[in-house]
Amino acid sequence: MATSSRPWCVPGALVMVGFVVVHSLGLAPLRVAHAITAEANESFAVCTVPVDMANGIEGIFVLDFATGDLTGGVLGAGSGLFAVSYKCNVLADLGFQLGQAKEPRFLLVAGQAELRANPRLGRRQFAKAVLYVTDCTTGATAAYAIPWAAQQANATGPIVSDLVLLDVARPRGPAVP
């Protein structure tokens, strides 16, 4: 009776054969992972988010703590240049008054959302993602929709759009319906 000096090969081979058979028969679709990243320092927060998952297009967004400006961009598929840009200011949305905070600090993260066109949102199309900006002092969090239509991926000239405020949650205050 022969024994293998590599017993780990058998389970690995069986898994690989199963994978090939299942996928060649079309029994299981491949899943695509979409990465979202976020980073911050004392002046800026940055995050990336998939804006068009079907076409593998992501955006990058930067929040400037000093000004409250949330800006972003999406690279054009053909040009490799920023073809779509976004901008809004988060200070008023989060309840800041002019000159109120000397050194505000924020968190910026992205998430997934399936937003349907409706009158409140102006019947616009949106990416299947949202941006969340949190004031580190109060915990107030603003959610922003990212206007997006698939044809924007092929834009040749710059498209400028505003982010759309969806709602603000204020954990340190009275609940407002």
Side-chain angles (χ1 to χ4, degrees), residues 54-122:
N55 294 307
I57 298 171
E58 74 176 8
I60 183 166
F61 292 87
V62 179
L63 177 59
D64 182 338
F65 296 174
T67 64
D69 288 335
L70 175 57
T71 58
V74 176
L75 294 173
S79 68
L81 303 172
F82 283 105
V84 183
S85 63
Y86 299 93
K87 187 169 186 176
C88 75
N89 190 286
V90 303
L91 295 180
D93 297 338
L94 291 171
F96 284 89
Q97 303 299 322
L98 185 61
Q100 179 184 9
K102 298 280 185 211
E103 295 181 30
R105 295 285 178 251
F106 302 100
L107 300 173
L108 172 64
V109 295
Q112 295 181 347
E114 182 78 35
L115 300 171
R116 294 175 185 86
N118 68 62
R120 188 178 78 80
L121 298 176

Side-chain angles (χ1 to χ4, degrees), residues 9-142:
C9 290
V10 174
L14 290 174
V15 168
M16 187 56 102
V17 168
F19 178 82
V20 170
V21 169
V22 167
H23 288 287
S24 66
L25 295 175
L27 299 176
L30 292 175
R31 299 189 131 225
V32 177
H34 299 282
I36 297 174
T37 59
E39 188 64 51
N41 67 15
E42 60 279 346
S43 301
F44 296 96
V46 179
C47 76
T48 61
V49 59
V51 294
D52 188 338
M53 292 185 227
N55 294 307
I57 298 171
E58 74 176 8
I60 183 166
F61 292 87
V62 179
L63 177 59
D64 182 338
F65 296 174
T67 64
D69 288 335
L70 175 57
T71 58
V74 176
L75 294 173
S79 68
L81 303 172
F82 283 105
V84 183
S85 63
Y86 299 93
K87 187 169 186 176
C88 75
N89 190 286
V90 303
L91 295 180
D93 297 338
L94 291 171
F96 284 89
Q97 303 299 322
L98 185 61
Q100 179 184 9
K102 298 280 185 211
E103 295 181 30
R105 295 285 178 251
F106 302 100
L107 300 173
L108 172 64
V109 295
Q112 295 181 347
E114 182 78 35
L115 300 171
R116 294 175 185 86
N118 68 62
R120 188 178 78 80
L121 298 176
R123 300 204 180 275
R124 299 167 78 176
Q125 291 181 315
F126 296 100
K128 292 181 180 179
V130 291
L131 298 169
Y132 298 102
V133 177
T134 300
D135 171 11
C136 292
T137 303
T138 66
T141 300

